[in-house]
Amino acid sequence: MIRIIRLSECTIEQGVEAWNKGFEGYHFDMTTTPEAFTKRMMQEELSKELSVVAFDGKLPIGIVLNGIRESAGRKIGWNGGTGVAMSWRKRGVGLQLMEKTLELLKEQEVEIATLEAISSNGKAIELYKKLGYDIVDKLHFMKLDGAVEKPEATESAHYQIRQTSPEEIAALPFYRGDFPWQVQWQSVRDGEGILAFNEEGETVGYAIFRKMKDEHGNHSRTLLFQCETAPDKREREEISRILMNEVFDNFDDTISRTAINVPVSGNSLTYKTLKHLGFVKNIEQVFMKKEL
């Protein structure tokens, strides 16, 4: 008989075993260790009380990680990964794990449950649809690596750029707290932010990103998490290009550049700007939501 319990009632080793078995044969290598598992739980604000593990006797056979954040006065839940051991797939374990997840989220008065799934993972998507989740957008990981042709010059005399923190950006009235969990400011560890101002001193755009270094201390990679412009301002395309040029250092470096989980419809201007600059889709996911 399958038993579903909270992750808080398990040892870290049991949680890791459930995760590694649950993601065996996945699209990417998701193997983790107790140290990496614990670090991820902390960094992405996942909750042991809200996460669940499935057992067959004493054997961990499945897991769902969950967390809660608040945005615009509403509690939002996030599924940070659903996995079931290969020998237990197609036997209803995933459904039981997700039903328990939704039960726990409702107990915490969560209003919206969210998750992302690889677009080609049809079986998982069908399970989520069966539970009442709807696909609300497509999400693209987009890449542009190495030397690139210089983008067209952008006249920025009318706009000023100032560095800031991702946390300060979260206070903007047009900050996108409805975007996927992993691109929200709380998930961007060691991240940076920039603001764009017009001649009237109004904030007209922002970007959240992180620059990474190689083993020699040289800048090797930039990750873009969010880039947004104020919806009521003119010249939004120009503002978007100015922000991109600032984030990616005017594309002068031969580095790796990645835009993470860009909502194709919900952030269409950023998506359009990235494509114009030469970024191409690397991974596609679906963004799913369920009103509780």
Side-chain angles (χ1 to χ4, degrees):
M1 181 177 178
I2 303 304
R3 182 168 53 101
I4 309 291
I5 65 174
R6 299 174 193 253
L7 179 58
S8 58
E9 301 173 65
C10 305
T11 66
I12 186 66
E13 289 77 17
Q14 288 172 323
V16 168
E17 182 179 355
W19 180 272
N20 289 340
K21 286 182 177 179
F23 283 92
E24 184 179 357
Y26 192 61
H27 303 268
F28 317 103
D29 183 5
M30 301 285 282
T31 306
T32 191
T33 64
E35 294 76 16
F37 187 81
T38 301
K39 182 178 181 180
R40 185 188 172 217
M41 293 288 295
M42 294 177 60
Q43 287 185 338
E44 296 195 354
E45 298 181 338
L46 294 163
S47 167
K48 291 183 179 180
E49 288 294 319
L50 295 174
S51 300
V52 291
V53 179
F55 281 82
D56 173 30
K58 295 183 179 181
L59 186 68
I61 60 170
I63 191 169
V64 178
L65 298 182
N66 296 297
I68 295 176
R69 286 177 181 161
E70 190 169 313
S71 177
R74 304 185 77 188
K75 283 188 176 182
I76 298 175
W78 179 60
N79 178 328
T82 299
V84 176
M86 292 186 73
S87 61
W88 280 91
R89 292 171 190 171
K90 300 182 182 180
R91 297 170 66 177
V93 177
L95 179 62
Q96 291 182 59
L97 283 165
M98 286 300 300
E99 287 176 338
K100 184 62 176 179
T101 284
L102 294 173
E103 177 187 320
L104 294 176
L105 294 180
K106 288 178 181 178
E107 287 178 0
Q108 295 299 313
E109 299 182 337
V110 169
E111 297 179 61
I112 307 172
T114 70
L115 57 83
E116 302 89 44
I118 299 295
S119 293
S120 60
N121 194 352
K123 292 179 181 178
I125 292 171
E126 285 307 310
L127 169 63
Y128 300 137
K129 285 183 175 180
K130 183 177 180 179
L131 289 161
Y133 285 83
D134 295 314
I135 296 175
V136 297
D137 212 336
K138 291 182 178 179
L139 305 172
H140 286 185
F141 278 70
M142 305 179 74
K143 296 197 71 177
L144 180 62
D145 293 345
V148 298
E149 183 179 342
K150 292 285 288 185
E152 63 191 56
T154 301
E155 176 57 54
S156 58
H158 301 302
Y159 299 98
Q160 298 296 320
I161 299 293
R162 176 172 70 81
Q163 291 185 333
T164 187
S165 67
E167 186 172 3
E168 182 181 348
I169 287 173
L172 294 172
F174 58 95
Y175 169 74
R176 298 302 299 270
D178 59 332
F179 278 178
W181 188 278
Q182 290 174 314
V183 303
Q184 295 173 15
W185 74 268
Q186 301 98 317
S187 296
V188 186
R189 303 296 172 178
D190 303 316
E192 303 177 49
I194 54 173
L195 298 171
F197 297 90
N198 62 15
E199 291 180 311
E200 290 74 36
E202 300 172 309
T203 306
V204 295
Y206 71 83
I208 299 174
F209 58 98
R210 182 167 73 228
K211 295 184 177 181
M212 304 175 70
K213 297 182 179 180
D214 60 21
E215 64 273 17
H216 305 294
N218 299 315
H219 178 206
S220 61
R221 189 180 186 194
T222 295
L223 305 177
L224 176 67
F225 294 88
Q226 285 199 35
C227 182
E228 184 62 285
T229 56
D232 60 338
K233 302 304 178 186
R234 301 188 306 274
E235 301 177 329
R236 294 185 66 199
E237 290 188 16
E238 178 182 357
I239 297 166
S240 181
R241 289 196 300 270
I242 291 169
L243 288 164
M244 296 285 188
N245 285 338
E246 188 72 21
V247 167
F248 295 111
D249 299 312
N250 293 310
F251 297 85
D252 286 332
D253 298 328
T254 56
I255 62 169
S256 173
R257 308 171 188 87
T258 303
I260 296 174
N261 271 346
V262 182
V264 174
S265 298
N267 200 198
S268 59
L269 178 57
T270 293
Y271 179 72
K272 177 182 177 181
T273 302
L274 287 165
K275 288 193 68 175
H276 179 75
L277 290 169
F279 282 76
V280 295
K281 178 182 68 177
N282 184 39
I283 300 168
E284 180 178 288
Q285 298 194 103
V286 292
F287 189 27
M288 305 186 75
K289 293 185 178 182
K290 173 182 171 65
E291 295 280 344
L292 299 181

